[in-house]
């Protein structure tokens, strides 16, 4: 018998509901680190303890956060048009993008010791070294809205093209390949490097989970609720990929052969966005309603 245990850990947000956690990752210090996009904060939570909140420019819009190759956490400032770095002690450094109003959003530790990010407004992929040097690579499409980005098992950068309805691949020399999705107007957003050497992504408009091999073969799996608006996805330690359903307040999982399970989060209007595997091996989701949700499935 399967039993799902979901525990919410409230995060203080002095600007009201909807200003809670957005992006989330596990840091090198064994803590959960998260962004609060509408509150302009970076948070840190050790499971079982009270969260620590680091305040930034309240209008900067921190979105995606990842562990960098230098032992610090790196994050994008979508509205501040900067890439940020925060040490585990809370020291913040920010680097402006060369292109004005670029709208950096997705971020990943690359295969070359640098970090790579998407520029939603500029149709570019950026690369930033740990010392803050930025290079930008233009995409061959306009209005593509590049969103999430990850490093694939082939050593390339993979990213979703939300408005171009495609998945992109960029080699570290800047060469780009674009793979169009079978479903029209699917709206790909979240993306992760799967446990099976493929890339898994969510289609927020189509209500589907997609899988693309490094050779470009795409498979799509419809969700039980096509109006669920899946947002983020992460590879789990159990061989499943875990995702958030922003539209319905659920967390779900999908196996490598397409078996889907969904789990209701407690409460209404939770707005789950980011998702990660925590330092305790459980699944953690960021809820903009003002909490981190720990999801443990006992089989």
């Amino acid at each position: 018998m399967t039993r799902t245990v979901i525990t919410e850990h409230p995060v203080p947000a002095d600007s009201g509901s909807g200003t809670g956690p957005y992006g989330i990752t596990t840091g090198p210090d064994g803590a959960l680190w998260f962004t609060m996009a509408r509150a302009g904060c970076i948070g840190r939570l050790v499971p079982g303890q009270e969260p620590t909140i680091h305040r930034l420019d309240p209008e900067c819009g921190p979105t995606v956060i990842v562990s960098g190759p230098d032992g610090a956490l790196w994050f994008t400032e979508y509205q501040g048009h900067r890439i940020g770095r925060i040490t585990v002690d809370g020291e913040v450094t920010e680097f402006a993008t060369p292109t004005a109003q670029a709208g950096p959003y997705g971020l990943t530790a690359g295969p070359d010791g640098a970090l790579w990010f998407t520029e939603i407004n500029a149709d570019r992929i950026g690369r930033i070294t740990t010392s803050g040097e930025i290079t930008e690579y233009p995409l061959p499409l306009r209005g593509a809205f590049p969103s999430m980005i990850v490093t694939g098992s082939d050593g390339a950068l993979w990213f979703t093209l939300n408005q171009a309805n495609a998945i992109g691949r960029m080699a570290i020399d800047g060469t780009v390949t674009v793979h169009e999705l079978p479903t029209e107007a699917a709206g790909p957003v979240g993306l992760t490097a799967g446990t099976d050497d493929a890339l898994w992504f969510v289609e927020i408009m189509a209500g589907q989970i997609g899988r693309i091999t490094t050779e470009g073969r795409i498979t799509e799996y419809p969700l039980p609720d096509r109006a669920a608006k899946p947002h983020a996805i992460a590879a789990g330690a159990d061989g499943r990929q875990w995702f958030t359903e922003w539209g319905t307040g659920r967390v779900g999982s999908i196996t490598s052969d397409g078996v889907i399970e969904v789990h209701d989060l407690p409460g209404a209007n939770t707005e789950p966005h980011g998702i990660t595997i925590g330092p305790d091996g459980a699944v953690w989701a960021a809820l903009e309603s003002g909490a981190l949700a720990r999801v443990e499935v006992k089989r």
Side-chain angles (χ1 to χ4, degrees), residues 32-271:
L32 290 155
W33 287 79
F34 54 93
T35 61
M36 300 170 72
R38 284 191 270 180
C41 299
I42 301 294
R44 177 183 184 272
L45 176 72
V46 174
Q49 299 181 16
E50 292 296 313
T52 301
I53 305 299
H54 303 278
R55 300 189 182 280
L56 309 171
D57 169 2
E59 303 298 325
C60 72
T63 44
V64 174
I65 185 166
V66 300
S67 289
D70 56 351
L73 287 301
W74 290 73
F75 55 93
T76 50
E77 296 182 10
Y78 172 62
Q79 292 177 309
H81 311 292
R82 295 182 292 261
I83 305 300
R85 176 185 186 270
I86 184 169
T87 67
V88 294
D89 298 322
E91 181 181 346
V92 176
T93 311
E94 295 165 310
F95 306 93
T97 58
T99 298
Q101 306 297 309
Y105 182 79
L107 181 68
T108 188
D112 56 351
L115 295 107
W116 292 71
F117 58 95
T118 60
E119 296 182 351
I120 281 180
N121 299 336
D123 291 312
R124 295 169 184 259
I125 301 297
R127 176 185 184 271
I128 183 168
T129 66
T130 53
S131 59
E133 298 171 357
I134 297 177
T135 308
E136 295 172 317
Y137 299 89
L139 296 174
L141 301 169
R142 292 295 171 263
F145 217 73
S147 302
M148 292 299 293
I149 185 169
V150 298
T151 298
S153 60
D154 58 349
L157 290 308
W158 290 78
F159 46 93
T160 49
L161 295 167
N162 179 262
Q163 293 299 302
N165 205 54
I167 304 297
R169 178 188 185 274
M170 178 176 282
I172 59 173
D173 65 358
T175 303
V176 177
T177 306
V178 175
H179 303 278
E180 295 183 5
L181 298 182
T183 300
E184 294 184 6
V189 184
L191 178 71
T192 191
T195 57
D196 55 357
D197 291 333
L199 291 302
W200 289 77
F201 57 94
V202 300
E203 298 176 355
I204 194 169
M205 300 306 296
Q208 298 185 136
I209 305 298
R211 177 183 185 272
I212 182 170
T213 67
T214 52
E215 293 78 32
R217 294 190 300 273
I218 297 172
T219 309
E220 294 171 313
Y221 302 94
L223 293 172
D225 184 348
R226 298 295 291 275
K229 294 190 180 301
H231 184 271
I233 188 167
D238 56 358
R240 293 173 169 79
Q241 325 307 319
W242 288 82
F243 56 90
T244 52
E245 292 187 355
W246 173 71
T248 55
R250 300 186 187 112
V251 169
S253 66
I254 183 169
T255 65
S256 58
D257 53 359
V259 177
I260 295 171
E261 294 181 0
V262 293
H263 311 278
D264 291 318
L265 294 168
N269 302 316
T270 52
E271 294 189 83

